[in-house]
Amino acid sequence: MALKPIAFCTASVFALGLAGIAHAQDATGSDLPTTDTQAGDTGDQASDDVIVVTGVKASIVGALDVRRESTQIVDSVVAEDVGKLPDNNVVEALQRVTGIQVTDRAGGEITAITIRGLSDPVTTWNGRNIFTAGGTSFALQDISANLVRQIDVYKTRSADQLEFGLAGQIDVKTRRPFDFDGFMVSGLARGVYSELADEFNPNAALLVSDTWDTGIGQIGVLVNGSYNKYKYRNMNVQAGAMVPFATENPPEDTFLGPLERIFPQTDPANPYWTPGLNAGLPTAPGSTLTIDGVEVPYYLARDAVISSDLYGERERPSINAALQWAPNSSSVYTAEFFYSGFRGNTFNSLFFSFADWWGSLGPNPGETFELYEGTNIIKSRRMGDVAGFNSGDYATSKTDSYVYALNGTWDLGNRGQITADLAYQDSTNETSFIAMRTNRGPLDIDVDFNAGGGIPSYSFGNSEMLTDPTMWTVGDFFDNGTKNAGSAWTFMLDGFYEFDEGLIRRVKAGFRYDNRDSSNFVRDQSAGALGGTLAELGDEYVFTNSGFFDGKADVPTSWVLADGPTLYRNRDALRSLYQTVNPNLVLSDDIVFDRVFDINEVTLSAYLLADGEVDLFGRPLRVQGGARLVAIDTNYNYFDRLNDFAETKVSTNQMKVLPSFTLRYEITPDLRLRFNYGETLRRPAFGDLNPNVSLVGDLSRLGFGTGSAGNPDLTATRSKNFDLALEWYFERNSAIYITGFRREIDGLVVPLTQLEYIPDNPIEGETATDYFQITRPSNASDGWLQGVEIGLTYFPTYLPGVLDGLGFQGSATILDSEQTIPDTDTDGNLIETRSQFFAVSKFSYNATLAYDRGPVGARLSYVWRKGFLNNNEERAFANPIGFWRQPENSLDFQLTLDVADNIGVTFDAVNLTKSKQQNYYKYADVGNPEQFNSSTLLIDRTFALGVRFTFD
């Protein structure tokens, strides 16, 4: 519900649509001039009707009109009023858009987004590509909803749009002073309550804008700032990896004792079993492994249980400012500034207990466990003298991103226009991580790996020890961090010219130059175990949590460990203590960061686009075709930290021609058909290009360590995209639409892991080894993704009385996909398996019931997605390798009540049903949520109360 309707909200439905379309044209220029047919005769609305639409309905109908009038397939989120995007950030606002699936709701917000199953949309701010630090994309959750006027999600692209992002383009539009007629001040203040953290959090925003008619033309100034702070708590319980154990009666001619864990290998060339098997080891009763020529029966069981109690805090200051000057009616100059900041810290209280000890099982080992019926999988067991550790992990992150832009638009009479845009952006990110591990003595444990609902339960014979700091020994010290920096100069020049008659109605051409720099630095000065008890460090260093999973699982609710914030505050003193273990520790924060890489990438692109129109059976058929030429010149400097920082220089050059073609046919004034073909690219991540190897020792006694490296030979992934949409605008503010699409993708970047012999490496101590499983990215996968989207927006015009103002918005997406996944056998030979795309739900839907009448505006929204393959787990231990998510959902409610013409009170509730995030292991027909359950994360429920105001 609008507090005080502003220009584009008080106009007719038609005018509201055109406002969004006009802004979209500024960003992409992909639409034809509006004809009389487009502008007036849609559904049952006569061209001279004036329909005033405000509030929640204005937001939904405005988005519908953007789609209706665009040449491309576009779905939008429109702010119904200043500062009234109906969510906390851009990602949350997008979860109800057709074809979008979201996940990773930890910390009270959504952080991951896919469009039609693909996770790499190119992000733009007012049409300009933006990024975070040294990466190639922008963290959309860092954009406050309070700054946003409109978000456009382009499912298809034309030649005049950016070529990158297989998933599509997300353009975030902020406000400019010429959006308003004169003076405007608007603001909001909210308090957001986190139920899990039991904390109230502030959220505030203020916009001030004004325009003046002067002797040199019209001038406008706008400043829009936002600040939000959020404290949260994530609680997670996890059953460890599934590995084989000997039975209670192992063959006498083996070294194995009863229920002893069977490690993969003592010699990497002669494994007893291979970790990371796609389908895992057989689960049938009586299954055996060949160990030194002997067939040994085995059971499958978890090696550990883990609890994680994370306390987090984040702050997001942001601001956008704009200065506009229109010296005459044919030119506009705009200077813009955008700042987005992030400050975050987390303290993770990690509790880890092994569940694989075999030395203290009592006189009857066969009575200490329970199998799932009809399998060799252990469901529950009792063990004695089990070791464990805790870790107090404290991490910080700081990001500052700045964008400065100058834009000029000049009309060429009434037939053409030229637009020039110059932008500079700079973004930096710095992280730190400090942690102390503490180790406890042996305890008896009783564990059920799935006590119900996929959540394990476990308890100890001496639970008092868990909270006694005198019983925990100070162990390893971890102290590392990263720095990332990125900057870019970008210049764009676009122009178009229109014709009144003939087949060709408009020709558009443009040029883009982008010069991008990216740098990455790391530091690491960890140290081994210090010794002594946690209590001896002093009370300041001791932290005991409470209320963990209280009432939601039968697990320890409290344990003691090193206090993360204290570790961070006293990090210099800790470094001095650990110098006895690692004399290279630097005793201050003036730690030299090691340079990992410097990258310079220059992208030149040019396009030519033509729009045409022909009469087909008395109705207009719009045709748009074009091509974009892209040349990418990249120079890399990499520095090998394992080889005296030896420098490696690599240069690559790529050139691509990307065609696009779109048809839009008005079958009737209310029924439209669209077809699009286009080609897009996905750039490799800068970190994936680093050829240098990073090694980790044999932490799990597998017989080998692990490592990772990049691949400087990576090239851009290419996708051929087909879309066909039918849209029926059956009433004034209502429509139903269906879209079929297919993506054919070549050169997908996937990880490829091989066992390598690397002697004379820097790994020392108990984890030393010369064998490592090294994972490198490779353009080794091809695939396809296809599906159908169905969307409905319906605001009935016939509802009586108080029901007038009730409406519905909903959509459903069906997806299917397949890609090749490379792997290597035990001899190092390359083999291929096939898999669906990661993070793709085959079915998802969202439904919103909206109400807008008088002073009341409300939305009740439900979002659901089917379970999906999230990723393949680490091959060092996963068994089986597929890591699946259970179905995910969220029920949210928003209410606005206008208490005066310019003041409104708001109430929001998110995750009303307290949904959880759960994972399990599965590959092919092996695995399920019951016997192969992994982790359960509690998702926060939040409530917000606020006030909005608007004055002009």
Side-chain angles (χ1 to χ4, degrees):
M1 184 69 191
L3 302 178
K4 186 168 185 180
I6 58 175
F8 77 94
C9 284
T10 57
S12 66
V13 174
F14 163 64
L16 178 62
L18 288 187
I21 299 156
H23 201 77
Q25 285 177 327
D26 291 341
T28 66
S30 58
D31 296 322
L32 287 171
T34 304
T35 66
D36 291 339
T37 303
Q38 283 180 282
D41 192 11
T42 56
D44 59 359
Q45 178 182 350
S47 60
D48 56 354
D49 287 346
V50 178
I51 306 298
V52 177
V53 179
T54 61
V56 173
K57 187 175 181 180
S59 174
I60 296 174
V61 173
L64 181 65
D65 286 344
V66 171
R67 179 185 180 101
R68 172 165 44 195
E69 301 303 336
S70 175
T71 300
Q72 303 301 314
I73 297 175
V74 183
D75 286 307
S76 301
V77 179
V78 176
E80 63 194 78
D81 205 337
V82 179
K84 293 192 66 176
L85 199 74
D87 294 277
N88 293 321
N89 62 47
V90 169
V91 178
E92 291 182 9
L94 291 172
Q95 65 180 319
R96 285 174 286 275
V97 170
T98 307
I100 284 186
Q101 297 174 347
V102 299
T103 189
D104 294 339
R105 297 176 181 268
E109 70 174 4
I110 300 166
T111 58
I113 181 173
T114 64
I115 301 177
R116 295 173 170 178
L118 296 173
S119 59
D120 67 330
V122 61
T123 50
T124 54
W125 167 67
N126 294 331
R128 306 177 186 96
N129 186 208
I130 54 176
F131 53 82
T132 300
T136 56
S137 62
F138 190 81
L140 283 170
Q141 62 270 25
D142 286 349
I143 302 179
S144 169
N146 305 321
L147 302 183
V148 176
R149 185 174 77 87
Q150 181 174 316
I151 310 167
D152 290 329
V153 181
Y154 290 88
K155 312 289 186 62
T156 64
R157 248 92 58 83
S158 58
D160 59 342
Q161 292 177 278
L162 292 174
E163 63 276 359
F164 297 114
L166 305 188
Q169 178 179 342
I170 298 176
D171 185 36
V172 180
K173 296 176 172 65
T174 53
R175 297 186 181 274
R176 292 167 172 168
F178 285 176
D179 292 343
F180 309 106
D181 184 15
F183 177 76
M184 166 70 69
V185 59
S186 178
L188 66 87
R190 296 200 311 164
V192 184
Y193 176 70
S194 165
E195 194 171 62
L196 292 179
D198 192 21
E199 294 277 359
F200 285 92
N201 305 282
N203 183 342
L206 181 67
L207 177 147
V208 179
S209 178
D210 204 354
T211 59
W212 304 271
D213 290 322
T214 73
I216 59 172
Q218 188 178 24
I219 295 177
V221 176
L222 177 146
V223 178
N224 190 3
S226 174
Y227 173 82
N228 65 75
K229 182 177 182 179
Y230 193 79
K231 292 183 179 180
Y232 57 93
R233 186 179 183 185
N234 294 337
M235 291 182 275
N236 186 74
V237 175
Q238 180 176 354
M242 185 172 285
V243 295
F245 290 76
T247 63
E248 66 272 31
N249 296 304
E252 294 183 357
D253 49 353
T254 67
F255 60 84
L256 296 168
L259 296 174
E260 181 175 344
R261 178 174 174 175
I262 304 173
F263 286 93
Q265 51 206 11
T266 55
D267 177 4
N270 183 30
Y272 297 148
W273 64 277
T274 302
L277 292 173
N278 286 334
L281 293 171
T283 62
S287 297
T288 62
L289 294 172
T290 303
I291 298 178
D292 298 332
V294 179
E295 293 299 312
V296 178
Y298 65 88
Y299 295 135
L300 289 169
R302 310 309 179 91
D303 64 345
V305 284
I306 306 113
S307 293
S308 171
D309 193 3
L310 183 144
Y311 304 81
E313 180 180 346
R314 59 176 176 265
E315 294 179 82
R316 289 196 173 105
S318 54
I319 187 170
N320 76 281
L323 170 66
Q324 288 189 290
W325 174 41
N328 49 55
S329 62
S330 61
S331 61
V332 177
Y333 300 89
T334 303
E336 290 185 282
F337 167 76
F338 175 60
Y339 165 75
S340 174
F342 177 83
R343 307 289 185 269
N345 63 76
T346 59
F347 170 36
N348 186 23
S349 303
L350 179 67
F351 182 92
F352 184 100
S353 178
F354 289 102
D356 64 352
W357 184 250
W358 55 86
S360 300
L361 299 175
N364 297 305
E367 297 181 359
T368 63
F369 65 92
E370 173 194 6
L371 296 175
Y372 286 103
E373 185 177 356
T375 74
N376 65 355
I377 302 173
I378 292 178
K379 180 182 187 297
S380 63
R381 61 184 306 191
R382 299 186 305 277
M383 293 155 282
D385 297 338
V386 172
F389 67 85
N390 292 348
S391 185
D393 305 343
Y394 191 81
T396 68
S397 181
K398 176 184 177 182
T399 301
D400 292 295
S401 299
Y402 303 86
V403 185
Y404 310 85
L406 295 173
N407 180 280
T409 302
W410 303 272
D411 291 338
L412 304 177
N414 58 359
R415 292 184 176 272
Q417 189 178 83
I418 294 176
T419 301
D421 193 276
L422 176 66
Y424 173 76
Q425 56 184 313
D426 178 83
S427 182
T428 59
N429 169 260
E430 184 170 344
T431 70
S432 69
F433 177 81
I434 192 166
M436 178 184 289
R437 178 175 292 189
T438 49
N439 304 304
R440 62 167 170 80
L443 286 175
D444 298 341
I445 187 173
D446 193 334
V447 56
D448 187 333
F449 296 111
N450 186 354
I455 306 175
S457 68
Y458 63 99
S459 60
F460 297 91
N462 181 12
S463 59
E464 292 80 8
M465 181 180 177
L466 303 182
T467 56
D468 185 352
T470 66
M471 304 301 293
W472 292 83
T473 303
V474 178
D476 296 342
F477 178 66
F478 303 92
D479 184 8
N480 51 64
T482 66
K483 284 184 179 180
N484 296 279
S487 63
W489 282 99
T490 305
F491 176 72
M492 295 183 290
L493 181 65
D494 297 86
F496 69 86
Y497 193 80
E498 297 172 349
F499 306 92
D500 288 336
E501 298 179 351
L503 175 63
I504 303 300
R505 295 297 181 89
R506 183 178 67 168
V507 174
K508 186 178 183 183
F511 168 81
R512 181 176 184 269
Y513 167 82
D514 183 78
N515 191 328
R516 171 82 194 275
D517 290 311
S518 178
S519 298
N520 173 258
F521 308 81
V522 300
R523 64 169 179 83
D524 185 359
Q525 52 173 17
S526 301
L530 180 64
T533 68
L534 178 60
E536 292 172 358
L537 288 180
D539 293 342
E540 182 185 10
Y541 287 91
V542 178
F543 175 80
T544 304
N545 67 334
S546 62
F548 177 80
F549 257 80
D550 200 4
K552 301 176 180 66
D554 184 14
V555 296
T557 61
S558 182
W559 57 85
V560 69
L561 74 166
D563 184 76
T566 301
L567 297 178
Y568 186 73
R569 287 194 304 268
N570 299 305
R571 53 195 179 276
D572 295 342
L574 283 173
R575 290 163 182 157
S576 66
L577 290 177
Y578 275 92
Q579 271 195 324
T580 59
V581 181
N582 181 2
N584 297 319
L585 289 178
V586 179
L587 302 185
S588 75
D589 277 343
D590 298 326
I591 300 169
V592 176
F593 279 76
D594 298 331
R595 185 179 293 271
V596 177
F597 64 74
D598 292 320
I599 294 179
N600 174 256
E601 185 171 83
V602 176
T603 303
L604 297 174
S605 56
Y607 70 88
L608 182 63
L609 182 72
D611 293 287
E613 181 177 319
V614 296
D615 185 276
L616 183 63
F617 305 114
R619 303 299 303 171
L621 172 65
R622 309 287 177 81
V623 182
Q624 184 184 88
R628 189 176 185 91
L629 175 66
V630 183
I632 308 170
D633 184 6
T634 313
N635 295 294
Y636 320 93
N637 288 346
Y638 294 105
F639 304 89
D640 190 350
R641 300 176 66 223
L642 303 181
N643 188 25
D644 296 326
F645 299 96
E647 184 176 0
T648 300
K649 294 186 177 183
V650 181
S651 296
T652 62
N653 296 279
Q654 300 178 61
M655 182 174 291
K656 304 284 186 181
V657 176
L658 305 174
S660 66
F661 177 75
T662 301
L663 294 174
R664 193 184 85 172
Y665 180 53
E666 294 187 3
I667 301 173
T668 72
D670 307 328
L671 190 64
R672 298 187 179 183
L673 181 70
R674 303 176 198 259
F675 170 79
N676 176 271
Y677 172 79
E679 298 185 16
T680 49
L681 303 176
R682 174 190 290 171
R683 292 179 292 184
F686 290 143
D688 285 347
L689 299 166
N690 182 3
N692 299 318
V693 178
S694 176
L695 300 178
V696 177
D698 184 9
L699 300 178
S700 302
R701 295 186 292 168
L702 299 174
F704 55 84
T706 59
S708 61
N711 178 0
D713 296 326
L714 291 178
T715 59
T717 302
R718 185 163 181 164
S719 177
K720 298 179 179 180
N721 313 313
F722 305 84
D723 290 80
L724 181 64
L726 183 64
E727 303 163 2
W728 179 30
Y729 300 90
F730 57 89
E731 282 194 8
R732 180 189 304 137
N733 301 320
S734 304
I736 186 170
Y737 47 89
I738 182 170
T739 305
F741 53 88
R742 181 177 173 87
R743 305 287 182 260
E744 298 176 354
I745 308 174
D746 296 323
L748 283 162
V749 176
V750 292
L752 180 61
T753 302
Q754 292 179 298
L755 188 67
E756 298 182 16
Y757 177 64
I758 306 177
D760 302 322
N761 62 76
I763 306 299
E764 299 177 350
E766 295 181 355
T767 64
T769 179
D770 290 335
Y771 289 92
F772 297 87
Q773 278 194 343
I774 305 298
T775 301
R776 293 181 174 86
S778 173
N779 290 105
S781 177
D782 299 325
W784 53 264
L785 186 148
Q786 62 189 20
V788 175
E789 297 173 345
I790 303 172
L792 170 66
T793 298
Y794 185 36
F795 278 93
T797 58
Y798 51 80
L799 294 178
V802 71
L803 293 180
D804 187 20
L806 191 65
F808 174 84
Q809 181 186 39
S811 66
T813 303
I814 302 170
L815 292 170
D816 192 19
S817 63
E818 184 179 85
Q819 69 176 110
T820 56
I821 302 292
D823 197 2
T824 53
D825 59 22
T826 55
D827 297 323
N829 300 315
L830 186 66
I831 58 176
E832 279 190 354
T833 59
R834 306 193 76 82
S835 168
Q836 67 182 68
F837 275 49
F838 298 128
V840 173
S841 290
K842 290 192 174 182
F843 180 66
S844 63
Y845 69 88
N846 64 78
T848 297
L849 190 64
Y851 183 75
D852 197 341
R853 182 177 176 83
V856 178
R859 296 190 324 166
L860 181 66
S861 303
Y862 184 71
V863 178
W864 183 91
R865 63 179 300 186
K866 188 177 181 180
F868 56 94
L869 174 62
N870 190 66
N871 60 281
N872 280 342
E873 264 280 24
E874 294 289 342
R875 291 186 174 274
F877 62 85
N879 180 30
I881 199 170
F883 199 57
W884 283 72
R885 286 276 177 88
Q886 292 270 49
E888 297 183 347
N889 65 86
S890 183
L891 179 65
D892 308 330
F893 176 72
Q894 290 92 26
L895 173 68
T896 300
L897 178 64
D898 283 357
V899 297
D901 287 343
N902 51 7
I903 299 176
V905 176
T906 66
F907 173 77
D908 304 84
V910 177
N911 191 25
L912 285 168
T913 58
K914 295 186 179 181
S915 64
K916 299 183 289 289
Q917 178 179 299
Q918 293 188 290
N919 305 291
Y920 64 97
Y921 291 104
K922 179 185 176 184
Y923 189 89
D925 295 328
V926 177
N928 53 65
E930 292 76 33
Q931 299 165 342
F932 291 78
N933 58 301
S934 177
S935 62
T936 296
L937 173 71
L938 301 183
I939 303 298
D940 206 1
R941 182 166 65 172
T942 65
F943 301 93
L945 186 64
V947 60
R948 301 177 187 270
F949 63 87
T950 302
F951 298 98
D952 59 11

